[in-house]
């Protein structure tokens, strides 16, 4: 959410009681000498009572010097006794007001994560296999031993006769003995 706030000040009239005190300057003249005029300053203080916590007030005092013109012959100034009085004054007070708007916001940002990277890699292995090829070459002659088989004839009664020998196969030409 996005929060946008604006503070505005609204003036409100209030009545407050203040205590005003001042020390007047009194002139005392004896009538001798020349007429002269001069400016003297009186102290004037205003105390406002501000409520800091409910039921607890704190005094805020401000003082100022007010000019007073005094004229006469042979006059001197003396500070008189302090005079105080309570006074109710109307004043405008600025009261702050905060107005806020909450707006939903969609925020996007890149998020990085550690992920294993899989890349294709060629892997070669040797697989044993038998390869047969047909080879055409010139025929050659080989010499093989002759094998003779014997067989008994069981046809006669009580006599056994031998089977005559089978003559050996002729030796092919071109071979030496």
């Amino acid at each position: 959410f996005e929060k946008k706030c604006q503070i505005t000040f609204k003036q409100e009239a209030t009545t407050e009681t203040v205590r005003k005190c001042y020390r007047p300057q009194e002139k005392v003249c004896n009538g001798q000498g020349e007429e002269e005029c001069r400016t003297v300053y009186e102290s004037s203080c205003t105390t406002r009572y501000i409520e800091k916590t409910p039921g607890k007030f704190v005094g805020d005092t401000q003082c100022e010097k007010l000019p007073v013109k005094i004229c006469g012959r042979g006059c001197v100034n003396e500070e008189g006794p302090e005079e105080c009085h309570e006074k109710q004054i109307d004043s405008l007070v600025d009261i702050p007001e905060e107005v806020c708007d909450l707006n939903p916001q969609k925020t996007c940002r890149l998020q990085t994560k550690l992920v294993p990277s899989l890349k294709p890699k060629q892997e070669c292995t040797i697989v044993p296999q038998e390869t047969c090829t047909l080879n055409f070459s010139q025929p050659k002659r080989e010499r093989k031993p002759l094998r003779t088989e014997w067989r008994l004839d069981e046809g006669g009664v009580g006599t056994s006769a031998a089977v005559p020998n089978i003559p050996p196969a002729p030796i092919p030409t071109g071979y030496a003995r």
Side-chain angles (χ1 to χ4, degrees), residues 63-78:
C63 293
E64 60 184 341
K65 296 272 187 179
L66 300 174
V68 176
K69 192 171 189 181
I70 296 178
C71 295
R73 291 178 176 218
C75 295
V76 291
N77 299 333
E78 291 181 359

Side-chain angles (χ1 to χ4, degrees), residues 15-173:
T15 303
E16 58 183 331
T17 304
V18 294
R19 180 180 171 110
K20 279 198 154 289
C21 297
Y22 68 98
R23 290 187 178 266
Q25 292 289 326
E26 296 176 352
K27 69 176 181 177
V28 179
C29 299
N30 59 12
Q32 296 175 359
E34 294 183 19
E35 178 87 22
E36 80 179 77
C37 290
R38 67 181 157 193
T39 304
V40 292
Y41 295 92
E42 293 180 345
S43 291
S44 174
C45 295
T46 305
T47 302
R48 281 193 164 97
Y49 294 98
I50 301 167
E51 189 173 12
K52 288 288 184 183
T53 56
K56 189 166 188 178
F57 292 88
V58 175
D60 178 27
T61 304
Q62 292 179 331
C63 293
E64 60 184 341
K65 296 272 187 179
L66 300 174
V68 176
K69 192 171 189 181
I70 296 178
C71 295
R73 291 178 176 218
C75 295
V76 291
N77 299 333
E78 291 181 359
E79 197 173 76
E82 184 179 52
E83 296 176 12
C84 294
H85 60 277
E86 302 271 326
K87 188 176 180 183
Q88 294 222 340
I89 56 168
D90 293 326
S91 62
L92 291 174
V93 177
D94 287 332
I95 296 177
E97 275 186 357
E98 185 178 40
V99 179
C100 293
D101 289 332
L102 282 176
N103 298 318
Q105 289 292 82
K106 181 179 181 180
T107 56
C108 300
R109 60 187 152 198
L110 290 173
Q111 188 177 25
T112 56
K113 288 184 179 179
L114 289 175
V115 178
S117 176
L118 301 176
K119 293 181 182 174
K121 181 181 173 186
Q122 188 173 14
E123 186 177 302
C124 299
T125 56
I126 298 172
V127 179
Q129 63 183 19
E130 186 177 348
T131 306
C132 298
T133 58
L134 187 58
N135 191 5
F136 294 103
S137 62
Q138 288 294 331
K140 58 181 179 179
R141 292 184 180 186
E142 291 183 3
R143 192 169 195 163
K144 289 192 174 183
L146 178 65
R147 203 171 103 185
T148 308
E149 290 185 12
W150 295 88
R151 182 171 50 147
L152 293 175
D153 188 15
E154 295 181 10
V157 178
T159 59
S160 65
V163 177
N165 279 343
I166 299 174
I171 298 173
T173 57

